[in-house]
Amino acid sequence: MEKFTRRGALSLTLGSAAFAMGCGTKFMTYRGPQVTRVEIQKSNRAMYLFHHNVLLEPYEVQLGFTAEGPKQFEGDGKTPEGRYHIDRRNPNSDFYLSVGIDYPNAEDRAYAEAMGKKPGGDIFIHGWGDKRRGRGKDWTAGCVAVTNREMKLIYAMVQNGVPVDIFA
């Protein structure tokens, strides 16, 4: 896997992006390499945006408040594990901006049904919202959170249909 340094990736991104930085706007246009895959590693609280095998951006993330194990049921506070896709965008998110992950998939629904429970849903990659939060403690209801500033860039870079691989 080729890899940019954080500074190199940021330079590439900033050099390739056109910012709509009017007062208070949270939207920008990204003109850099296409993000072809998102990888989330729960064990080290990291998310990586890739263009094929080239790392574009690494991020520290916060996860569901019950971080161990895969999401299985509604309300379990866990972040899913497996292959999903970005399937929607929310410019009016309570958590600044967000992009949706198509959890639950058919396997997730079947497992929950077999256990007599609901699988839950509404899993997003999102910002921190209006609350001041520090890095470290997991706090979401199963989503993946980054700072608002980071989410602004992710929202511009990651398009619907991009695969998201979430590993334990």
Side-chain angles (χ1 to χ4, degrees):
M1 163 180 65
E2 293 181 54
K3 183 177 171 186
F4 288 108
T5 63
R6 178 74 173 147
R7 172 175 274 173
L10 187 56
S11 296
L12 171 69
T13 301
L14 295 178
S16 302
F19 293 86
M21 294 295 276
C23 293
T25 186
K26 61 184 177 180
F27 302 103
M28 61 178 280
T29 302
Y30 172 73
R31 295 191 184 116
Q34 176 186 17
V35 174
T36 58
R37 181 171 59 94
V38 175
E39 183 176 302
I40 298 165
Q41 295 179 2
K42 291 171 56 175
S43 62
N44 63 354
R45 306 298 188 275
M47 178 171 68
Y48 305 98
L49 305 186
F50 288 94
H51 173 71
H52 302 292
N53 289 331
V54 177
L55 175 62
L56 299 175
E57 287 288 332
Y59 296 96
E60 291 179 44
V61 299
Q62 293 164 315
L63 304 169
F65 60 84
T66 306
E68 300 303 317
K71 180 163 197 60
Q72 296 177 314
F73 310 118
E74 183 175 67
D76 65 8
K78 296 180 180 183
T79 301
E81 294 173 9
R83 161 118 336 158
Y84 300 95
H85 294 84
I86 300 297
D87 69 344
R88 61 200 181 280
R89 311 172 79 64
N90 185 356
N92 301 309
S93 172
D94 289 341
F95 299 101
Y96 189 65
L97 293 168
S98 62
V99 292
I101 297 172
D102 65 351
Y103 173 89
N105 60 27
E107 186 178 311
D108 298 321
R109 286 190 297 276
Y111 180 78
E113 184 178 325
M115 302 304 288
K117 298 186 176 190
K118 295 179 183 179
D122 284 337
I123 302 298
F124 288 85
I125 299 169
H126 61 66
W128 287 357
D130 292 337
K131 289 190 177 180
R132 288 183 112 1
R133 302 180 192 275
R135 294 272 189 199
K137 186 172 182 184
D138 293 320
W139 58 272
T140 76
C143 297
V144 177
V146 295
T147 68
N148 292 347
R149 184 176 184 171
E150 292 166 336
M151 192 62 217
K152 183 177 192 171
L153 183 58
I154 293 164
Y155 192 87
M157 291 177 76
V158 178
Q159 301 306 308
N160 288 3
V162 170
V164 178
D165 293 313
I166 307 173
F167 299 100

